[in-house]
Amino acid sequence: MTVRAVPGQFTLVLHSHLPWLANHGRWPVGEEWLYQSWAGSYQPVFEVLRGLADDGYSHCMSLGVTPVLAAQLDDPHCGASMFEWLASWQLRAQEAALARRPHCAALGAREFRAAEHALADFETHWRHGGSAALRSLVDSATIELLGGPLAHSFGPLLDPRLRRFTLTEGLADTALRIGDAPQGIWAPECAYAPGMGEEYAAAGITHFMVDGPALRGETAMGATVSGDVVAFGRDLEISYRVWSPRSGYPGHAAYRDFHTYDHDHGLKPARVTGRGVAGPDKAPYDPDRARSALTNHVEDFVDRVRRRLIEQSARIGRPALVVAAFDTELFGHWWFEGPQWLDAVLRRLPEAGVQVGTLADARAGGFVSGTVDLGPSSWGSGKDWRVWDGPQVADLVAVNSEVVSTALDTVAKRLVHTDGVRDPVSDQIIREALLTVSSDWAFMVSKESAAQYARDRAFTHAHATREICAAADRGRDGQARRLAQGWQRADNLFGALDARRLDPGYTR
């Protein structure tokens, strides 16, 4: 039976990001977070995309990968440690399989096979770093790659000088890794302040993501913000069908429970079972039960996208756009069955008469209508800035402002005397300032998720910035260089960062 095509386009957007974690603790917060996300989300999601490419699918989604995550996926230390982590997973699974406890043998055998598969996948596709894995997806047009600022700072609260610098450096970093600079971005936290559209235009950005309320819920079309720069909004009705604390698919009783561990082996043995069921009382995970739920949720989502496109197209009198946007880490890391759901949905939507495309496709296809005076917004709680600028994080806001001001003042003074020669002290000052103002630290504090770790990280990088600046400002150049070298060894990222580009008189 031929399915009638529906008007418009559906676009899936995923945002891949973790803060810089290398050499900053391992467990319970630190590098373990990176390796869990790598094995749970990045490996299986990329495997899904390669499979779609092999079967002739293209323009499947817009995929954002932040430069700070890309740096970790390319980092030799992280790559070697990831391989060790996967081997440890397999050993823990083997121990579980041999344990004489109910359900342990089946759990261990299942996890052993999964770890074995992940090790083989890592050896085949990731041993040369994440950029190699990502570039094949870009070159095959399976995805549109979205970029972003060099470090994940909350743009509206950042000094415009550093905000412009971190954006252009971020795009250059992606071009260095992939071959081309992205024309679309997912700004950290979908945060926007008036005037940022002009900065996007100056950097060569043509489109970016905001949350639905930023466009007053009018997400059926993109809207021009500045010049030719288009803002696309997340359709909350469709997006919340997947990721809602109350009714989203991952909370279904049949899916694997994220929070419950077999602490002897570090494995996850249980299914959600029920919202009010305590961890020790949860039922064992049943893959067959999960597959049945997954089939239903795939069909439900496809049906809802079809209906949403029909309704929105009828409402606006032209083919409409529906954008569903999520953190990549939802798929696999948080929601174990998520990558399987992604694969099935991206195959079923075209079969159901839905045109699937990227944000770039939507812009080129004319899914843009009018201009919008975009106000202050984010995709955080309240859709405003409270998570990153509220009373709970007032100390971080103050530290961020002071550190950025100190860094920019010191670097400006040094650039006057460098005669155009690159200055590693200035470079490291800017690196540490950017690590200080990562939006992740305020988010973790506001959400009371490893808040002490977040504060420690912010204050550590703030201290690094201050002590390098203090030595430089006192004219103790040798000490400043030694401090800069020491901190660079501790945080070995963004080697191409060049503080001279903060100086408008410098040309590449």
Side-chain angles (χ1 to χ4, degrees):
M1 185 176 91
T2 302
V3 177
R4 189 176 67 178
V6 299
Q9 176 182 306
F10 171 77
T11 295
L12 176 66
V13 185
L14 297 185
H15 173 59
S16 317
H17 169 69
L18 289 176
W20 181 257
L21 299 167
N23 299 310
H24 286 281
R26 188 77 180 232
W27 175 267
V29 184
E31 289 186 33
E32 180 77 13
W33 186 7
L34 170 64
Y35 306 137
Q36 286 183 0
S37 298
W38 202 337
S41 291
Y42 311 140
Q43 282 192 263
V45 168
F46 277 45
E47 185 173 12
V48 164
L49 290 168
R50 289 195 304 270
L52 288 164
D54 290 344
D55 291 340
Y57 292 83
S58 64
H59 298 243
C60 296
M61 67 171 67
S62 294
L63 176 67
V65 178
T66 63
V68 71
L69 174 60
Q72 292 175 95
L73 299 181
D74 281 341
D75 184 78
H77 162 75
C78 293
S81 297
M82 175 60 180
F83 193 83
E84 293 172 359
W85 189 92
L86 291 172
S88 170
W89 173 21
Q90 191 173 40
L91 286 173
R92 289 183 284 112
Q94 186 177 43
E95 290 175 358
L98 297 174
R100 296 183 177 182
R101 287 168 44 204
H103 311 294
C104 244
L107 169 66
R110 189 167 62 243
E111 291 285 321
F112 184 91
R113 290 191 297 271
E116 185 176 48
H117 178 81
L119 277 163
D121 175 81
F122 193 84
E123 271 288 285
T124 304
H125 298 286
W126 295 86
R127 64 183 304 176
H128 298 299
S131 292
L134 183 59
R135 179 148 189 180
S136 66
L137 299 176
V138 174
D139 290 347
S140 65
T142 309
I143 63 165
E144 173 202 9
L145 180 63
L146 301 181
L150 192 62
H152 209 258
S153 47
F154 191 80
L157 301 180
L158 197 60
D159 184 297
R161 292 172 293 172
L162 191 56
R163 188 172 67 211
R164 292 190 292 269
F165 174 83
T166 190
L167 175 60
T168 55
E169 290 292 296
L171 297 173
D173 184 84
T174 301
L176 187 64
R177 296 178 194 278
I178 305 301
D180 293 297
Q183 292 187 306
I185 65 167
W186 180 304
E189 318 301 355
C190 285
Y192 187 85
M196 288 175 66
E198 286 79 3
E199 296 173 7
Y200 292 163
I205 295 300
T206 62
H207 53 283
F208 66 104
M209 277 291 303
V210 295
D211 209 358
L215 296 177
R216 302 169 187 87
E218 194 56 64
T219 59
M221 287 280 141
T224 302
V225 173
S226 176
D228 293 329
V229 181
V230 175
F232 290 105
R234 183 171 67 138
D235 185 309
L236 296 189
E237 180 174 317
I238 291 298
S239 297
Y240 281 177
R241 190 70 198 129
V242 178
W243 189 232
S244 162
R246 291 179 295 276
S247 59
Y249 301 143
H252 189 273
Y255 291 141
R256 196 177 80 173
D257 186 68
F258 173 81
H259 299 284
T260 304
Y261 276 90
D262 166 11
H263 290 286
D264 290 337
H265 307 102
L267 306 176
K268 297 178 180 179
R271 58 185 177 90
V272 173
T273 310
R275 186 175 297 276
V277 179
D281 300 325
K282 290 182 180 291
Y285 181 65
D286 181 347
D288 291 334
R289 186 188 292 259
R291 276 191 290 271
S292 177
L294 189 77
T295 299
N296 292 335
H297 289 150
V298 168
E299 293 306 315
D300 177 74
F301 187 79
V302 170
D303 179 62
R304 286 174 181 271
V305 169
R306 277 181 55 89
R307 283 191 281 154
R308 184 68 168 164
L309 283 169
I310 292 168
E311 292 164 1
Q312 291 286 73
S313 298
R315 181 179 64 82
I316 66 175
R318 57 183 287 191
L321 175 70
V322 168
V323 177
F326 312 97
D327 284 331
T328 304
E329 294 76 23
L330 167 62
F331 298 93
H333 176 55
W334 294 98
W335 179 21
F336 176 67
E337 297 80 7
Q340 302 169 54
W341 180 90
L342 272 181
D343 188 31
V345 160
L346 289 171
R347 293 172 186 275
R348 278 289 295 126
L349 283 167
E351 294 173 356
V354 175
Q355 176 186 333
V356 176
T358 66
L359 293 178
D361 293 331
R363 186 177 183 277
F367 290 95
V368 181
S369 179
T371 61
V372 63
D373 184 15
L374 203 58
S377 60
S378 80
W379 79 332
S381 301
K383 309 305 180 185
D384 52 25
W385 300 348
R386 70 186 68 176
V387 172
W388 300 274
D389 195 22
Q392 197 169 354
V393 293
D395 58 336
L396 294 182
V397 173
V399 166
N400 289 351
S401 177
E402 174 255 314
V403 163
V404 168
S405 177
T406 299
L408 291 176
D409 288 350
T410 298
V411 169
K413 286 183 286 189
R414 290 186 67 84
L415 289 176
V416 172
H417 303 292
T418 58
D419 296 324
V421 177
R422 187 172 180 184
D423 177 29
V425 172
S426 295
D427 293 349
Q428 192 60 30
I429 289 171
I430 296 301
R431 277 192 201 94
E432 293 297 338
L434 288 174
L435 288 169
T436 302
V437 300
S438 169
S439 73
D440 301 276
W441 314 141
F443 179 87
M444 292 165 72
V445 171
S446 290
K447 298 298 183 181
E448 298 181 351
S449 172
Q452 189 57 53
Y453 176 87
R455 279 200 161 92
D456 289 346
R457 288 294 307 278
F459 296 153
T460 295
H461 296 300
H463 168 73
T465 310
R466 291 188 190 109
E467 73 168 3
I468 302 171
C469 287
D473 289 344
R474 293 190 186 104
R476 298 173 179 171
D477 202 57
Q479 182 186 13
R481 287 180 179 274
R482 287 192 296 274
L483 288 168
Q485 289 169 357
W487 285 109
Q488 185 179 15
R489 282 194 296 270
D491 294 307
N492 184 30
L493 77 167
F494 302 147
L497 181 152
D498 189 342
R500 292 175 298 177
R501 289 192 278 267
L502 277 164
D503 180 1
Y506 174 77
T507 55
R508 230 181 291 219

